[in-house]
Amino acid sequence: MAKINSVKGMPDILPEDIVAWQHLESTWRTLTASYGYTECRMPVLESTQLFSRTIGDSTDIVSKEMFSLDDRDGNSLSLRPEGTASCVRLGVENGLLFNQQQRLWYMGPMFRYEKPQAGRYRQFHQMGMEAFGFQGAGIEAEQIMAIHAFWQRLGIDSKLTLQINSLGDATARAKYRTVLTEYFKRHIELLDDACRERLARNPLRLLDSKDKNVMRLVDDAPKITNYLSRESLDDYNRLQELLTANGVDFVENPNLVRGLDYYNDIVYEWVTDDLGAQSAVCAGGRYDSLVECLGGKSTPAVGFAIGMERTLLLLQQVKQYKSNLDCYFIVAAEQMQLALRVADTLRRDLPDFKIWLNCDTSKMKSQFKRADKSGAHLAFILGSEEADNSSVTVRDLRSAESSQMQVAIDNLPSFIRNWQQKGTVCKI
Ligand code: ATP
Ligand code: MG
């Protein structure tokens, strides 16, 4: 029969990669908890309107990248392309935001119809933090410091650079939009059709164009920083002071606009030179109007999302994560009953000790071969001789001399604890 393959751009995550994923996830869980954030889990399917109203109809995400479908009643639903809009919807719908402060985090798959390549997929994963009810640059500073601490804990901080900008409030952006439109119109002959359409619909988006002509124009274009209100500028300067005082390096990038319409004031991205064209690893900023836009009471809000696949690609450049089975348990077929009991007693006494019990009837010789290949540190051997002595033979599969010894079954827990502490097999 013909094989059925996975959907284009939606890769499997294989067992050989799972240790790195789990390391990323557990580092994140510890980190978010230490900053007082709690997890929330949103569904992957939401009403299409949630994204078109918040992210913006003219953005690439909504106009080209959504996976949408009609349900049986004709309602348009979409697989979530990002987490912030869903998280705000969750907060508003469940009364978590009004007159309160919340620190929430989420993690999970997102979906965008993009051209798949290394670091860019149609199903990918993000982890993000969202904080509600906080004004002033302190919360942005804390979130950025949390991200910085995350990179440090993962050992990839030297690969990432923080870029910051302020988009100002709605008044500043409206003023800037007019000035920017006039500027580009003076150079309209250098813009292709797609850029002219962007100019008409959302001129700020020209600032992060990859088109060479546009990029040259952008260098001399007016900068939003010159149109910020006193308040926005104060916040932006305050953030810079807070970051500098806490040892977080950054560069100002006045052309950083982000591909989503809901941001205001401070925005930022962490970028890398180590992933080719897929340079953005994390992005975030302030989105004070989003809660109201989704029917809640006006609530200040700040958040960011980290691309997990791109983070993992960086992680792999510094360290390989492999599954580490502790013990391969070799068993003579007639000793299966005893082996099951010994292995389960050990699992109960030592929940962290990972045992692969040979549960079929294969010959000892082929079990030895599999034990060598398994990557386990230790082999336990239980044949009739060992059973007669109520013991198992323990072999260190990692040492060159392949040292081995008999250990009484009753002594196995203390033997293992000793091995876990010392990393070597020795008599107890
Ligand atoms: P890009 O400019 O690379 O398309 P983006 O600005 O669209 O990124 P955001 O919407 O800011 O990305 O999402 C936050 C992070 O999620 C990105 O910095 C990136 O690490 C990751 N990300 C976004 N789209 C994808 C994708 N298709 N595949 C893998 N990771 C992605
Ligand atoms: Mg994108």
Side-chain angles (χ1 to χ4, degrees):
M1 251 204 268
K3 274 196 298 182
I4 299 174
N5 292 328
S6 64
V7 175
K8 185 178 174 189
M10 302 201 178
D12 296 312
I13 298 172
L14 298 176
E16 66 203 38
D17 297 322
I18 213 69
V19 179
W21 277 88
Q22 288 174 346
H23 176 66
L24 186 69
E25 290 163 9
S26 65
T27 308
W28 172 257
R29 283 177 207 283
T30 312
L31 179 101
T32 48
S34 74
Y35 283 82
Y37 282 72
T38 335
E39 183 180 6
C40 55
R41 299 185 186 184
M42 300 83 70
V44 290
L45 202 58
E46 298 266 12
S47 77
T48 298
Q49 231 199 341
L50 173 64
F51 306 113
S52 54
R53 198 197 291 175
T54 56
I55 300 171
D57 278 325
S58 72
T59 60
D60 282 357
I61 296 180
V62 171
S63 66
K64 308 196 271 216
E65 296 174 359
M66 290 230 284
F67 280 88
S68 300
L69 59 103
D70 286 343
D71 72 8
R72 288 168 198 221
D73 296 325
N75 304 308
S76 178
L77 306 177
S78 294
L79 287 170
R80 62 182 186 193
E82 56 110 44
T84 301
S86 302
C87 185
V88 173
R89 198 250 333 116
L90 172 148
V92 172
E93 190 169 336
N94 294 283
L96 303 183
L97 306 185
F98 179 56
N99 242 345
Q100 300 169 56
Q101 292 189 325
Q102 287 286 357
R103 284 177 159 93
L104 304 175
W105 69 264
Y106 62 84
M107 169 159 69
M110 307 293 160
F111 304 84
R112 296 187 193 176
Y113 200 89
E114 301 206 67
K115 192 161 168 256
Q117 52 203 286
R120 190 176 295 284
Y121 314 95
R122 291 183 176 173
Q123 173 173 314
F124 63 100
H125 296 74
Q126 287 182 339
M127 40 186 30
M129 282 185 182
E130 316 287 358
F132 299 95
F134 299 88
Q135 251 142 2
I139 190 72
E140 279 102 332
E142 194 195 45
Q143 287 194 345
I144 289 172
M145 286 168 66
I147 302 165
H148 187 233
F150 189 50
W151 306 144
Q152 283 178 327
R153 289 186 198 188
L154 295 172
I156 55 173
D157 47 310
S158 63
K159 293 176 170 289
L160 288 147
T161 307
L162 172 62
Q163 298 189 348
I164 60 171
N165 191 23
S166 174
L167 299 177
D169 56 18
T171 318
R173 271 199 310 286
K175 214 187 309 166
Y176 178 61
R177 185 170 307 187
T178 315
V179 179
L180 195 66
T181 307
E182 280 164 12
Y183 170 79
F184 280 116
K185 276 192 175 156
R186 286 203 293 279
H187 303 280
I188 195 89
E189 72 287 352
L190 293 172
L191 302 184
D192 63 15
D193 285 349
C195 289
R196 287 179 194 194
E197 197 193 320
R198 276 185 169 194
L199 180 59
R201 293 182 75 173
N202 198 341
L204 263 68
R205 193 118 319 113
L206 284 172
L207 297 180
D208 60 5
S209 166
K210 304 280 184 299
D211 180 296
K212 288 264 159 9
N213 281 330
V214 181
M215 284 165 80
R216 268 195 295 274
L217 282 178
V218 165
D219 284 340
D220 295 326
K223 304 294 176 232
I224 190 151
T225 328
N226 298 326
Y227 297 85
L228 299 180
S229 69
R230 186 73 257 156
E231 214 182 359
S232 293
L233 205 55
D234 282 351
D235 258 0
Y236 190 38
N237 289 333
R238 182 81 187 121
L239 174 72
Q240 300 189 29
E241 279 165 25
L242 292 171
L243 294 178
T244 305
N246 284 288
V248 181
D249 294 334
F250 59 86
V251 286
E252 284 185 77
N253 176 0
N255 299 325
L256 181 71
V257 288
R258 310 280 307 110
L260 306 90
D261 280 350
Y262 52 62
Y263 285 108
N264 63 278
D265 288 292
I266 290 157
V267 289
Y268 57 89
E269 272 189 16
W270 291 82
V271 295
T272 182
D273 289 330
D274 294 340
L275 296 179
Q278 273 53 258
S279 59
V281 180
C282 167
R286 184 168 277 279
Y287 52 93
D288 287 338
S289 57
L290 194 52
V291 176
E292 215 171 356
C293 171
L294 288 176
K297 291 257 172 14
S298 172
T299 306
V302 175
F304 67 86
I306 292 174
M308 292 174 68
E309 283 80 357
R310 292 184 195 174
T311 307
L312 280 162
L313 287 169
L314 292 179
L315 200 57
Q316 274 162 9
Q317 293 176 3
V318 295
K319 194 170 168 201
Q320 292 303 312
Y321 290 85
K322 278 215 203 98
S323 134
N324 53 340
L325 205 55
D326 294 311
C327 166
Y328 193 102
F329 203 149
I330 296 169
V331 189
E334 64 279 10
Q335 301 305 334
M336 185 48 71
Q337 186 187 327
L338 178 59
L340 282 165
R341 181 156 56 79
V342 171
D344 255 34
T345 310
L346 288 176
R347 291 183 185 117
R348 202 188 49 219
D349 290 349
L350 301 152
D352 288 341
F353 190 65
K354 287 168 259 170
I355 305 173
W356 177 291
L357 176 61
N358 188 87
C359 283
D360 68 13
T361 52
S362 49
K363 297 245 156 31
M364 299 286 264
K365 198 169 157 203
S366 62
Q367 291 190 46
F368 276 111
K369 277 195 197 142
R370 282 193 225 142
D372 279 334
K373 273 209 207 130
S374 71
H377 278 262
L378 304 175
F380 286 1
I381 303 146
L382 181 55
S384 49
E385 198 184 309
E386 284 91 354
D388 290 346
N389 304 328
S390 291
S391 67
V392 298
T393 300
V394 178
R395 184 180 288 182
D396 187 343
L397 295 169
R398 299 282 172 100
S399 84
E401 319 87 68
S402 71
S403 52
Q404 69 174 49
M405 69 183 76
Q406 291 226 342
V407 179
I409 287 171
D410 287 346
N411 288 340
L412 276 174
S414 41
F415 172 86
I416 292 166
R417 271 191 212 104
N418 201 37
W419 170 75
Q420 284 173 327
Q421 276 163 17
K422 299 212 172 107
T424 55
V425 175
C426 51
K427 287 217 160 50
I428 50 160

